[in-house]
């Protein structure tokens, strides 16, 4: 819907072959902060896959790292020449490993343990710090006025989703929507202008504060993620996507029956066309 009264139709396009494999199609409730006239659409498709019985290895991050310097090479070489380390290396070289997956894994682990044991005696080890999930923070110019205006917009949007054809509610929502966008742009523009004015004043009067402000601005412009998602979390998430929910059980049975009938009909047609002179 729009402020002028015209309607907007949201839809999902799939190929004709995928229509029979569509599990569901859902139109979410209207969310005012997502769009001014569109609703979020969700749909599910039945994916054909062949699960492997073999367990897949999950890459685990190394628990830390060794600090390397200019003298680390010589220190590690001297440590590898110690009697106990040399005996471990000799024992490893004399061992016979078959070219199977298990033996190769065992050989790799023994080699790693020898190097790790030598490195722990001569190098500094630093453990990996696990960082928590970064919480979303509002911009510095997003002050209390904008917070209250945004709450009012969300409240009016929920009311509009319940009564989409009420002209008073619709007019109130779009008025609040325009005011919110106008206030947001004004606050952001004013905040940037204040920074520019501060830089002009502090450059000659207070150089220390000037560079502190420059450093703060550089830290604020970092758009990279605080930490990456670990591989085992990715693996568990995508593995869970391959399990069919019980609520789609009837729909899956219907799809299987339809595909079976379609396959039988095509088979009969192919046989008939092959034997027909």
């Amino acid at each position: 819907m729009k402020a002028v009264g015209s309607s907007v139709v949201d839809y999902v396009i799939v190929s004709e072959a995928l229509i029979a494999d569509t599990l569901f199609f859902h139109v979410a409730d209207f969310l005012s902060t997502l769009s001014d006239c569109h609703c979020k659409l969700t749909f599910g498709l039945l994916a054909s896959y062949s699960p492997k019985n073999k367990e897949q290895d999950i890459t685990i991050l190394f628990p830390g790292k060794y600090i390397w310097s200019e003298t680390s090479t010589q220190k590690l070489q001297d440590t590898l020449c110690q009697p106990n380390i040399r005996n471990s290396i000799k024992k490893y070289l004399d061992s016979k490993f078959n070219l199977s997956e298990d033996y190769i894994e065992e050989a790799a682990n023994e080699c790693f343990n020898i190097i790790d044991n030598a490195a722990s005696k001569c190098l500094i080890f630093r453990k990996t710090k696990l960082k928590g999930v970064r919480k979303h923070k509002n911009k510095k110019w997003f002050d209390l006025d904008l917070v209250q205006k945004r709450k009012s917009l969300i409240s009016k949007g929920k009311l509009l989703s319940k009564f989409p054809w009420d002209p008073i509610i619709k007019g109130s929502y779009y008025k609040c929507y325009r005011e919110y966008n106008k206030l947001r742009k004004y606050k952001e523009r004013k905040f940037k202008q204040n920074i520019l004015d501060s830089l002009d004043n502090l450059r000659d009067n207070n150089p220390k504060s000037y560079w502190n402000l420059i450093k703060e601005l550089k830290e604020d412009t970092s758009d990279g993620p605080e930490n990456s998602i670990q591989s085992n979390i990715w693996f568990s998430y995508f593995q869970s996507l391959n399990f069919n929910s019980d609520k789609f059980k009837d729909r899956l049975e219907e799809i299987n029956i339809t595909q079976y009938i379609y396959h039988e009909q095509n088979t009969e047609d192919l046989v008939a066309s092959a034997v027909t002179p």
Side-chain angles (χ1 to χ4, degrees), residues 197-211:
D197 296 339
S198 299
L199 290 175
D200 292 338
N201 295 329
L202 295 175
R203 183 172 184 177
D204 298 329
N205 299 332
N206 194 341
K208 184 177 180 180
S209 300
Y210 172 82
W211 288 111

Side-chain angles (χ1 to χ4, degrees), residues 133-273:
V133 180
R134 183 177 62 176
K135 296 182 179 180
H136 175 73
K137 294 183 179 179
N138 290 329
K139 300 292 185 179
K140 292 184 177 181
W141 46 266
F142 202 91
D143 55 8
L144 184 60
D145 293 338
L146 277 172
V147 172
Q148 294 177 349
K149 199 68 176 177
R150 186 174 184 273
K151 288 182 179 179
S152 177
L153 178 63
I154 294 175
S155 177
K156 292 180 182 296
K158 292 180 179 179
L159 188 62
L160 180 62
S161 63
K162 295 181 180 179
F163 307 99
W165 309 116
D166 192 306
I168 299 177
I169 296 177
K170 185 186 297 185
S172 177
Y173 164 75
Y174 283 104
K175 179 181 178 182
C176 184
Y177 183 82
R178 289 191 297 268
E179 292 176 350
Y180 170 75
N181 283 334
K182 184 177 180 180
L183 180 61
R184 178 175 55 82
K185 294 177 182 179
Y186 169 75
K187 293 287 186 180
E188 182 179 4
R189 186 170 58 252
K190 183 179 179 181
F191 175 77
K192 293 180 179 179
Q193 187 61 45
N194 290 337
I195 291 178
L196 294 176
D197 296 339
S198 299
L199 290 175
D200 292 338
N201 295 329
L202 295 175
R203 183 172 184 177
D204 298 329
N205 299 332
N206 194 341
K208 184 177 180 180
S209 300
Y210 172 82
W211 288 111
N212 289 336
L213 181 58
I214 293 293
K215 183 179 179 181
E216 183 180 354
L217 292 174
K218 288 183 178 180
E219 294 176 353
D220 290 343
T221 55
S222 58
D223 296 330
E226 189 72 16
N227 62 306
S228 58
I229 301 176
Q230 296 183 3
S231 57
N232 57 342
I233 298 178
W234 276 115
F235 178 80
S236 300
Y237 171 74
F238 284 104
Q239 188 180 42
S240 64
L241 297 179
N242 291 329
F243 293 98
N244 296 321
S245 177
D246 292 337
K247 65 180 180 180
F248 301 134
K249 184 177 180 180
D250 296 336
R251 176 60 176 162
L252 290 172
E253 292 180 356
E254 180 184 348
I255 292 175
N256 291 331
I257 294 173
T258 303
Q259 291 179 343
Y260 176 78
I261 296 174
Y262 178 76
H263 176 73
E264 291 293 328
Q265 291 178 349
N266 285 348
T267 303
E268 293 177 359
D269 295 340
L270 290 174
V271 172
S273 61

Side-chain angles (χ1 to χ4, degrees), residues 111-126:
C111 180
F112 169 79
N113 291 332
I114 294 173
I115 298 175
D116 184 47
N117 185 25
S120 63
K121 295 182 177 182
C122 61
L123 302 177
I124 300 175
F125 183 77
R126 179 177 296 174

